[in-house]
Amino acid sequence: MVKSVTEELETLLESRIVFFDGGMGTMIQRLKLSEEDFRGEVFKNHPKPIVGNNDILSISQPEKIVDIHKQYLIAGADFVETNTFSGTRIAQADYGFEDLAYELNYEAAKLAVRSCKEVEAEGHGKKYVAGSFGPTNRTLSISPSVEHPENRNVTFSDLVEAYTEQARGLLDGGVHVLLVETIFDTANAKAALYAIDQLFETEPDLYPRCPVFISGTITDRSGRTLSGQTAEAFSTSVAHANPMALGLNCALGAQDMRPYLEEIAKTTDAYIICYPNAGLPNAMGDYDETPDITGSLLASFAKDGLVNIVGGCCGTTPAHIASIRKQCSRFAPRKRPVKPHADSMLLAGLEGVVINKLSNFVNIGERCNVAGSKKFCRLIKTDAYDEALAIAKSQVENGAQIIDINLDEAMLDGVKAMTKFCNLIASEPDIAKVPLCIDSSNFDVIMAGLECTQGKCVVNSISLKGGEESFLEQARIIRRFGAAVVVMAFDEEGQATTTEDKVRICERSFKLLVEKVHFNPNDIIFDPNILTIGTGIEEHNNYAINFLNAIEPIRTKCPGVHISGGLSNLSFAFRGMNLVREAMHSVFLYHAIQRGMDFGIVNAGIIPIYTEIEKELVELCENIIWNKHPNATEELLVYAQNHRGTAGPQKQDDEWRKESAEERLRHALVKGIEKFIVADTEEARLNTTKYPLPLNVIEGPLMDGMGIVGDLFGAGKMFLPQVIKSARVMKKAVSHLIPFMEEERQARLLAMGLDPTTEDESSMYNGTVVLATVKGDVHDIGKNIVGVVLGCNNFRVIDLGVMVPANKILEAVIKYKADIVGLSGLITPSLEEMVFVARELERTGHTLPLLIGGATTSKMHTAVKIAPKYSSPTIHVLDASKSVVTVSSLLDAVNKEDFIEEVADEYEEVREDYLDSLVNQTYVSLEVARANKFFIDFEAMPPPTPAFTGIKVIHELDLERCATYIDWKPFFEVWRLGGSYPNRSYPKIFNDEKVGPTAKKVFDEAQVMLKKMIDEKLIRGQGVFAILPANSVGDDIEVYENEERGEVKGILHGLRQQAEKLDKSEKFFCISDFVAPKETGIADHVGLFAVHCGEGVKDLAKKYEDEGDDYNSIMVKVLADRLAEAFAEMLHEDVRRKYWAYAAEEQFQPKELHRAKYDGIRPAPGYPTQPDHTEKRTVWDLLSATQNAGMGLTESFSMTPAASVCGLYFAHSEANYFSIGKISEDQVEDYATRNDWEMKLAERWLAPILNFET
């Protein structure tokens, strides 16, 4: 059966990295064509100048275009792009060729197809054509006039029409894929994608679906498109097109493009495409980056598993493509991940938003609604759009995650008003950063809003009220725009009022949307109708109950959907009685959120906190919402009448002002009251008995108040806008205290003899700390407090603010010579961004400590998810009060290493506990594990060549030298003597209050025994090691007789990790990964050793035992074990420095050796890296360990003498320790085959690591 193009390309993209061509414009410029050349014979008499219209050359100079295509194809490109970057009638209108748009695209496609066929005929393999859609010379998101930001010089419909024509020409000409590229305005790209999808859907016989590639352009190092979107927001905004490939091109060179490409890769399961410029242009507009440089930069992307398709853009020539292919071909392509955020709703304005079950409650700002706000309505009607925009901005500032826009009013032209307002919003980044909710009962108005919105927005709303046909038609259009949708619980019979009808209509709508329109369930928001209660009409009494009871069954029957509702409807019967209405809303929301309502169009700024409402009023609200008794309405009405005209925010209850300063501060923080915060903070500051320093006020009552806010937010009793109000109050209090803290700091410096005005600031501080709230998060109060606390303790704090991307954090670390970097975040998506920052710190070679803090962070998440990505210290800081201790410990030259070791040990325990707690640990097949193995580029990072090969015997160990390598920490552990930080390690353990004296006594006695054993030669050590030619073959390592590598002397068998990784990008390790594969032809080696300090130990221990001295009998054995480990450490150092000699200049102290600071590893059979004890037999045979070192193996593969150590040496700098964990039956079968064992024998030796019952 013949494969479709889609199937062909998917197979190709899974098998290897695929290569695009380079810059068509670059090659045309090299031809130095004149006006006459551009005209040719065809356009000899054209009335306008056409030089520079590269696209027209497909008609006037077709052979030159074919020649350029073929140069790229022969250089190694799998794809060529059609010469149609400016191929729309809109772009061609500048040259008077708008009527040739179809022909131009058709001819360009035919030329590209012809070029591919000719090159294929020459034996260069299968080639493909990508039909190029450029961005045009107009933009939907930016006005051509600074004075009139609402103006546009093109409409969405214009672009759809032009792109449809271009698509027809390209597809008729035979292209294989459609490429929407160099996107600087996502709205333009959405028009192209709309046109393509509409063409496929409406004319499937003429235009069957083909793959679509999408490539955006980050215009500068701000990390945004020209129209202001982040890479994440761009990816979210075009994801509805289901691109086969998604990525970036143009504008930046590869080096600057990387962080933004990684950002896209984190958001999509599409293949990743990247074709950068040849660096940035020089002053003359030329590109200086050589083919080798471009190739090496893209090869680093490929090495890290970041790309599937690579090529070049401006400035790249066939030589560049040849270099890119040569350097990238040796790497495996990026494996398509499981769809990121598969259980989340993704929305976007200029910035991306992730909404999932951890998002708490999503507040849709409701004040930009002409029906809900008299002020907003008046402003729109009087054309006061600047003031109307200010209302939208205030909604964002007050915590609205989405802005609802409703312009349905009888005296307004809804389409015109929606277009103008959305265009104006696009010019206001502070508003446009959040997604919009286009709200109208008129679908033409909804269309107008969608056509002006570059991000992924929400449509509010559609329903089955007009029947299925209308419902499906509107849903298809919404999906084509990529928007999410609110669906009202209406059908042909009207509004659903009962629980049963709400569930029935929502389930029916869900099936239509998912099965017929292919809507993503996560993009569906059901509004099951919050209806008015307390009307006096009996059938209305259960309306709140019916809504609440419908939430869970709807979410169960319609998995993935969200639930919303218009909250103001609930209390409409009590209009004018704001105190009661707001309380009803708060109580209702509390219950609705518990049941699964996760969206709401509310003015959260005036909703009281559930726990702060008067108890009597709460009870009355509960009664009417749950219809607890017939008089519920009447009782609430009486209460309302007694409190008519009062509302929470206006009510001035001064009782709380009579409390202590601490209680007043707490109250103000929880309620978000700014009025008295400065005076109350000052009162607390002046109480120097309680608060000797201004900092103590922050660490005391202010932090206590914010702790209550955090608890209420976590319990769903406060909403994000209310938390933001509290944070503002906190910020005001802290701002008041800062000058006093600065005075105190300067006085302290003067007392130390330091001048605070000195030019060299660094000499005044204890260290420099860079702090940032990570990208995607705008919450900074906790970070700000940490900054203040550290500043008061004489640390230099560089606060980068909020929404800080990883590359900016890395730049600041270098710029300010930071000693420590701290990351903060409040919302759950921040956690993944912290993981990414840690990975980037590791990739770029940083070694400074990383601190993690914020409301959603935890020690467990830090230990399990973040710390493994960064080899330097990564520590969770619980709150601001702990930051000084942590930072001071990390910068303490004396205790730093002990502190780091203490945390590392603790986090290792946390990780182990977490993994042990996983009830359903999943495993990948051996095939999948091998496909995702750890990869070393041995060509770029060749293995070190040893100075010595062969076997070397140590007949007599220098015990005196060996003793200097002893690691005493395990010695004390044997005697159950464990110190506490900072006195855990030797020799600090002697200072420990609990075990110090005993430890010192035992140690002194050990020194006496050790000296006796050495001086009187009571024990003796021997050993043997070898460095032998070797290469990996799959999961095994072949060890050769000599450098000719023809005769296999022995095989070291490896086991591979199979436990599914928490981070899907992580690799599955095996020891063979650290040795160059045989097929590379690269000569590599492996080391082996076996050593002991056991001769004489048995007799000496027995002597003491016979004398009844069990203590010294044990001491002899313990010291022999320590000497054997020290022998292994000492010999490994000799191998690194002298025999393998890849670290000849290495100078480590014993303590650094014990912490494995060196390159290379020495894993032992029977331990986590290779848990099979039988591998010792191969080590013994290769070393002739019995003959050369007097060592033996028992039937169970224990070594004799008891004080023995054996293992392997791997010298490559990328080699690292890992744990195999549990393995599956398929690997055991494979391992048995490789060892020529029966399955039962394999199960016996591998029993401790099997994940199945035998």
Side-chain angles (χ1 to χ4, degrees):
M1 181 178 174
V2 179
K3 283 187 175 180
S4 68
V5 171
T6 299
E7 291 171 326
E8 268 188 36
L9 289 176
E10 285 181 340
T11 300
L12 180 64
L13 287 162
E14 289 293 331
S15 65
R16 66 172 174 86
I17 290 175
V18 172
F19 300 92
F20 252 50
D21 59 1
M24 172 63 75
T26 300
M27 297 299 286
I28 290 174
Q29 287 172 15
R30 286 187 166 192
L31 297 176
K32 301 187 183 302
L33 301 177
S34 65
E35 175 74 23
E36 289 70 26
D37 294 324
F38 270 85
R39 289 175 177 272
E41 288 299 315
V42 184
F43 304 114
K44 192 171 185 179
N45 299 315
H46 190 71
K48 287 186 174 183
I50 64 172
V51 67
N53 184 5
N54 291 345
D55 298 42
I56 208 67
L57 295 172
S58 297
I59 297 175
S60 64
Q61 299 286 353
E63 295 309 312
K64 286 183 169 55
I65 300 303
V66 168
D67 181 61
I68 292 171
H69 283 324
K70 291 176 72 173
Q71 286 186 59
Y72 279 120
L73 291 166
I74 291 168
D78 299 298
F79 271 91
V80 286
E81 298 177 44
T82 55
N83 180 35
T84 56
F85 186 77
S86 300
T88 59
R89 63 171 44 247
I90 292 171
Q92 286 298 312
D94 288 351
Y95 300 98
F97 285 130
E98 57 266 42
D99 292 336
L100 282 180
Y102 173 84
E103 181 185 350
L104 187 154
N105 284 279
Y106 177 72
E107 293 298 332
K110 285 175 61 180
L111 292 178
V113 171
R114 174 188 142 197
S115 303
C116 287
K117 288 181 177 177
E118 290 178 3
V119 170
E120 286 173 2
E122 295 170 9
H124 291 282
K126 178 72 174 176
K127 305 294 182 182
Y128 299 90
V129 177
S132 169
F133 292 72
T136 81
N137 51 358
R138 310 288 177 91
T139 172
L140 276 171
S141 298
I142 303 172
S143 171
S145 167
V146 176
E147 293 81 13
H148 300 284
E150 74 276 16
N151 288 358
R152 298 293 184 270
N153 57 12
V154 71
T155 68
F156 189 88
S157 298
D158 293 338
L159 286 168
V160 169
E161 182 182 352
Y163 281 127
T164 300
E165 181 180 34
Q166 183 172 28
R168 290 182 191 278
L170 292 170
L171 292 167
D172 290 344
V175 301
H176 300 101
V177 306
L178 298 178
L179 170 66
V180 182
E181 65 170 332
T182 320
I183 299 163
F184 57 76
D185 181 354
T186 311
N188 285 35
K190 287 173 71 175
L193 297 170
Y194 190 101
I196 291 166
D197 186 72
Q198 185 172 249
L199 187 63
F200 287 155
E201 190 166 304
T202 57
E203 301 181 50
D205 294 334
L206 282 174
Y207 301 107
R209 289 189 182 272
C210 72
V212 174
F213 292 2
I214 300 175
S215 182
T217 293
I218 301 298
T219 51
D220 56 39
R221 287 172 179 165
S222 69
R224 294 178 181 260
T225 62
L226 185 66
S227 57
Q229 278 197 313
T230 64
E232 177 191 9
F234 160 69
S235 176
T236 296
S237 301
V238 299
H240 63 282
N242 291 320
M244 176 178 278
L246 177 64
L248 296 173
N249 73 292
C250 202
L252 301 174
Q255 189 165 6
D256 295 315
M257 188 181 284
R258 177 167 182 142
Y260 314 117
L261 193 70
E262 288 179 322
E263 194 172 326
I264 288 176
K266 290 189 294 180
T267 66
T268 183
D269 61 344
Y271 297 107
I272 295 298
I273 183 171
C274 175
Y275 49 115
N277 293 345
L280 295 172
N282 60 26
M284 303 302 294
D286 297 322
Y287 293 87
D288 301 325
E289 195 169 272
T290 66
D292 281 348
I293 293 172
T294 304
S296 65
L297 289 170
L298 284 173
S300 71
F301 291 18
K303 178 190 173 187
D304 292 339
L306 184 57
V307 289
N308 301 97
I309 305 169
V310 291
C313 201
C314 304
T316 57
T317 64
H320 285 83
I321 301 307
S323 176
I324 291 168
R325 175 142 196 166
K326 178 184 177 183
Q327 297 195 58
C328 293
S329 289
R330 61 182 183 270
F331 299 107
R334 171 185 183 256
K335 293 295 179 184
R336 291 183 79 171
V338 175
K339 192 175 185 66
H341 307 298
D343 60 349
S344 304
M345 172 187 280
L346 304 181
L347 299 175
L350 296 182
E351 296 162 7
V353 176
V354 180
I355 297 166
N356 55 32
K357 60 186 178 182
L358 300 175
S359 300
N360 204 323
F361 179 76
V362 178
N363 171 48
I364 303 176
E366 49 109 47
R367 304 316 295 163
C368 295
N369 185 326
V370 293
S373 169
K374 290 180 181 179
K375 180 180 179 181
F376 182 77
C377 183
R378 173 177 54 79
L379 294 172
I380 295 295
K381 281 185 170 182
T382 57
D383 210 35
Y385 277 85
D386 284 350
E387 293 178 62
L389 285 172
I391 291 176
K393 185 176 180 181
S394 71
Q395 292 278 281
V396 177
E397 290 172 347
N398 286 323
Q401 293 110 305
I402 302 169
I403 293 294
D404 182 78
I405 302 171
N406 184 301
L407 299 167
D408 287 356
E409 211 277 339
M411 301 306 294
L412 281 175
D413 181 336
V415 170
K416 185 178 177 181
M418 182 65 78
T419 300
K420 183 173 183 177
F421 195 59
C422 287
N423 282 344
L424 286 168
I425 283 176
S427 68
E428 296 285 343
D430 289 341
I431 307 171
K433 67 183 181 181
V434 303
L436 302 182
C437 179
I438 309 299
D439 184 354
S440 179
S441 56
N442 182 338
F443 200 71
D444 290 338
V445 176
I446 287 174
M447 285 284 290
L450 289 171
E451 290 180 355
C452 299
T453 308
Q454 68 169 320
K456 179 178 177 181
C457 58
V458 179
V459 167
N460 185 17
S461 62
I462 62 173
S463 74
L464 285 164
K465 183 164 49 178
E468 284 192 9
E469 186 177 343
S470 172
F471 179 77
L472 291 171
E473 180 185 356
Q474 292 177 353
R476 287 191 179 99
I477 291 171
I478 292 167
R479 188 193 176 284
R480 195 171 291 142
F481 275 101
V485 66
V486 176
V487 181
M488 300 294 295
F490 283 78
D491 66 4
E492 299 86 342
E493 297 177 9
Q495 179 174 246
T497 59
T498 67
T499 297
E500 294 73 23
D501 283 346
K502 293 176 191 290
V503 175
R504 175 181 58 79
I505 293 172
C506 290
E507 186 177 12
R508 178 186 169 201
S509 302
F510 179 78
K511 288 182 177 178
L512 290 170
L513 288 170
V514 173
E515 295 172 8
K516 293 196 173 184
V517 187
H518 307 296
F519 234 97
N520 181 346
N522 296 298
D523 287 342
I524 301 170
I525 306 168
F526 280 121
D527 184 340
N529 308 325
I530 298 177
L531 301 176
T532 305
I533 58 175
T535 63
I537 301 172
E538 187 175 350
E539 66 185 82
H540 295 179
N541 291 347
N542 283 330
Y543 277 174
I545 297 173
N546 293 345
F547 182 95
L548 294 169
N549 288 343
I551 295 173
E552 289 187 48
I554 290 171
R555 298 199 73 159
T556 300
K557 292 174 181 289
C558 309
V561 304
H562 304 271
I563 302 292
S564 182
L567 200 58
S568 60
N569 291 343
L570 179 79
S571 63
F572 193 69
F574 294 85
R575 59 190 181 278
M577 305 172 188
N578 291 342
L579 176 67
V580 169
R581 294 194 72 180
E582 291 158 13
M584 288 176 69
H585 298 166
S586 181
V587 174
F588 181 86
L589 267 183
Y590 175 67
H591 293 295
I593 291 170
Q594 300 297 319
R595 283 162 172 74
M597 178 175 167
D598 51 354
F599 278 74
I601 300 177
V602 297
N603 189 356
I606 62 169
I607 292 181
I609 300 166
Y610 181 85
T611 55
E612 297 290 320
I613 304 170
E614 185 184 357
K615 288 184 178 179
E616 180 189 358
L617 182 53
V618 170
E619 184 178 351
L620 292 170
C621 291
E622 296 277 359
N623 289 344
I624 193 170
I625 287 169
W626 293 106
N627 191 19
K628 290 186 176 180
H629 57 77
N631 296 325
T633 298
E634 187 175 338
E635 289 176 357
L636 184 58
L637 187 59
V638 170
Y639 183 96
Q641 289 170 341
N642 290 337
H643 296 79
R644 180 178 287 277
T646 60
Q650 286 77 42
K651 185 181 178 183
Q652 295 299 325
D653 178 5
D654 290 337
E655 285 298 313
W656 68 281
R657 301 297 307 152
K658 299 174 183 176
E659 301 287 344
S660 66
E662 290 80 6
E663 283 301 310
R664 297 198 304 273
L665 288 170
R666 181 200 68 80
H667 183 87
L669 286 166
V670 173
K671 299 284 283 185
I673 300 170
E674 290 188 36
K675 184 176 180 182
F676 307 101
I677 193 66
V678 171
D680 290 344
T681 302
E682 177 64 4
E683 181 181 332
R685 184 187 73 83
L686 293 174
N687 187 350
T688 53
T689 303
K690 269 191 175 182
Y691 309 111
L693 298 173
L695 177 62
N696 301 144
V697 180
I698 294 175
E699 294 176 329
L702 292 177
M703 287 297 289
D704 290 344
M706 287 306 290
I708 296 169
V709 170
D711 292 341
L712 290 172
F713 179 60
K717 295 177 181 179
M718 283 184 78
F719 309 124
L720 191 57
Q722 294 164 330
V723 174
I724 290 173
K725 284 178 68 178
S726 298
R728 284 181 182 154
V729 176
M730 180 70 168
K731 199 167 189 175
K732 194 167 184 178
V734 172
S735 296
H736 173 70
L737 293 169
I738 284 175
F740 299 105
M741 291 188 286
E742 181 60 20
E743 284 179 18
E744 190 269 331
R745 188 184 74 85
Q746 293 204 12
R748 189 168 69 255
L749 288 172
L750 288 170
M752 295 165 59
L754 296 173
D755 182 359
T757 61
T758 181
E759 291 183 11
D760 183 11
E761 286 189 358
S762 60
S763 65
M764 296 162 43
Y765 294 100
N766 294 330
T768 298
V769 182
V770 166
L771 297 178
T773 299
V774 294
K775 184 179 73 66
D777 202 325
V778 298
H779 307 100
D780 65 353
I781 185 63
K783 168 181 63 67
N784 292 347
I785 294 169
V786 168
V788 169
V789 171
L790 289 173
C792 291
N793 284 272
N794 205 39
F795 291 96
R796 180 188 184 208
V797 177
I798 308 298
D799 189 341
L800 302 181
V802 301
M803 292 286 292
V804 188
N807 59 310
K808 300 298 182 187
I809 295 170
L810 268 60
E811 287 172 9
V813 164
I814 296 169
K815 178 180 178 181
Y816 297 106
K817 299 178 181 177
D819 298 298
I820 289 173
V821 61
L823 305 181
S824 176
L826 174 68
I827 58 176
T828 305
S830 304
L831 299 177
E832 286 307 307
E833 184 63 21
M834 290 173 177
V835 173
F836 178 65
V837 174
R839 190 185 291 121
E840 284 297 282
L841 286 166
E842 180 72 15
R843 183 183 67 81
T844 50
H846 287 87
T847 58
L848 78 171
L850 171 63
L851 304 185
I852 303 295
T856 57
T857 64
S858 67
K859 183 190 293 183
M860 178 174 287
H861 182 271
T862 303
V864 174
K865 292 289 191 77
I866 304 177
K869 301 296 181 295
Y870 187 42
S871 55
S872 293
T874 305
I875 300 171
H876 178 252
V877 181
L878 185 62
D879 57 44
S881 64
K882 305 293 191 301
S883 60
V884 174
V885 173
T886 304
V887 171
S888 299
S889 298
L890 287 167
L891 299 181
D892 181 346
V894 177
N895 294 318
K896 173 183 175 179
E897 291 299 329
D898 290 329
F899 177 71
I900 291 170
E901 186 178 342
E902 172 99 358
V903 174
D905 290 347
E906 181 185 2
Y907 282 17
E908 184 60 36
E909 290 177 12
V910 171
R911 278 191 290 274
E912 289 174 1
D913 289 345
Y914 173 78
L915 293 172
D916 290 343
S917 72
L918 294 177
V919 177
N920 297 314
Q921 172 69 65
T922 54
Y923 298 84
V924 302
S925 67
L926 181 58
E927 180 183 7
V928 169
R930 284 173 171 166
N932 292 277
K933 67 183 234 178
F934 179 68
F935 176 80
I936 296 175
D937 181 2
F938 286 98
E939 289 187 13
M941 303 174 68
T945 302
F948 162 85
T949 56
I951 298 176
K952 188 168 186 65
V953 178
I954 297 102
H955 295 287
E956 190 71 45
L957 171 64
D958 181 349
L959 284 167
E960 193 164 347
R961 180 192 172 207
C962 180
T964 64
Y965 288 79
I966 289 178
D967 181 0
W968 290 102
K969 186 170 178 284
F971 170 83
F972 294 112
E973 289 171 354
V974 170
W975 296 104
R976 306 285 178 89
L977 295 171
S980 300
Y981 174 80
N983 299 315
R984 291 177 77 236
S985 62
Y986 164 80
K988 293 177 186 174
I989 191 173
F990 303 146
N991 301 323
D992 189 83
E993 288 184 11
K994 186 177 179 182
V995 304
T998 305
K1000 184 68 169 73
K1001 178 177 181 293
V1002 172
F1003 178 77
D1004 288 344
E1005 290 165 351
Q1007 298 309 300
V1008 172
M1009 178 63 76
L1010 185 61
K1011 187 175 188 309
K1012 178 181 177 69
M1013 291 163 65
I1014 294 172
D1015 291 348
E1016 298 179 20
K1017 295 183 170 43
L1018 299 177
I1019 68 168
R1020 181 169 171 261
Q1022 292 177 282
V1024 58
F1025 74 93
I1027 303 174
L1028 302 174
N1031 284 108
S1032 63
V1033 178
D1035 290 349
D1036 294 336
I1037 300 169
E1038 288 185 352
V1039 183
Y1040 304 111
E1041 188 68 41
N1042 51 50
E1043 289 293 350
E1044 292 181 6
R1045 298 173 186 258
E1047 184 179 346
V1048 176
K1049 188 174 184 179
I1051 296 177
L1052 296 165
H1053 300 291
L1055 290 164
R1056 187 169 296 281
Q1057 294 174 320
Q1058 283 187 275
E1060 193 166 37
K1061 303 289 184 177
L1062 296 171
D1063 181 342
K1064 304 302 180 188
S1065 67
E1066 288 185 7
K1067 302 302 181 183
F1068 296 86
F1069 284 86
C1070 174
I1071 55 171
S1072 63
D1073 298 339
F1074 307 140
V1075 180
K1078 188 176 184 177
E1079 62 267 23
T1080 64
I1082 296 172
D1084 206 345
H1085 298 77
V1086 68
L1088 311 94
F1089 72 94
V1091 299
H1092 76 85
C1093 286
E1095 187 175 330
V1097 171
K1098 191 174 181 180
D1099 292 340
L1100 184 58
K1102 190 173 187 307
K1103 171 182 173 294
Y1104 285 114
E1105 195 176 315
D1106 290 344
E1107 294 172 357
D1109 190 350
D1110 291 339
Y1111 174 75
N1112 274 319
S1113 176
I1114 295 171
M1115 180 69 81
V1116 168
K1117 295 173 186 175
V1118 171
L1119 288 173
D1121 287 342
R1122 288 296 87 222
L1123 283 167
E1125 292 288 353
F1127 189 176
E1129 191 73 78
M1130 181 184 77
L1131 181 58
H1132 193 191
E1133 182 183 58
D1134 288 346
V1135 166
R1136 294 192 305 274
R1137 295 181 60 184
K1138 181 178 178 182
Y1139 297 106
W1140 214 315
Y1142 63 85
E1145 305 303 317
E1146 179 187 293
Q1147 292 286 343
F1148 286 121
Q1149 295 299 314
K1151 201 166 190 177
E1152 294 173 303
L1153 294 176
H1154 302 152
R1155 288 173 173 148
K1157 297 285 188 181
Y1158 45 77
D1159 281 344
I1161 60 172
R1162 61 167 194 278
Y1167 285 83
T1169 302
Q1170 205 331 353
D1172 178 14
H1173 284 276
T1174 70
E1175 282 296 291
K1176 293 173 189 170
R1177 172 52 61 197
T1178 306
V1179 174
W1180 246 243
D1181 291 345
L1182 289 168
L1183 292 172
S1184 299
T1186 301
Q1187 297 91 324
N1188 286 325
M1191 299 171 67
L1193 291 173
T1194 68
E1195 288 184 357
S1196 60
F1197 291 94
S1198 292
M1199 294 178 285
T1200 60
S1204 297
V1205 182
C1206 76
L1208 309 175
Y1209 295 136
F1210 295 95
H1212 201 283
S1213 60
E1214 292 288 292
N1216 60 84
Y1217 292 103
F1218 60 91
S1219 176
I1220 289 294
K1222 302 284 187 182
I1223 62 173
S1224 300
E1225 194 167 0
D1226 60 344
Q1227 181 162 196
V1228 179
E1229 291 174 354
D1230 181 87
Y1231 194 73
T1233 301
R1234 284 152 48 204
N1235 276 283
D1236 196 23
W1237 288 349
E1238 293 291 331
M1239 184 66 175
K1240 287 196 175 299
L1241 184 60
E1243 290 173 348
R1244 173 191 163 195
W1245 287 115
L1246 300 177
I1249 61 167
L1250 302 183
N1251 70 5
F1252 58 94
E1253 296 292 332
T1254 59

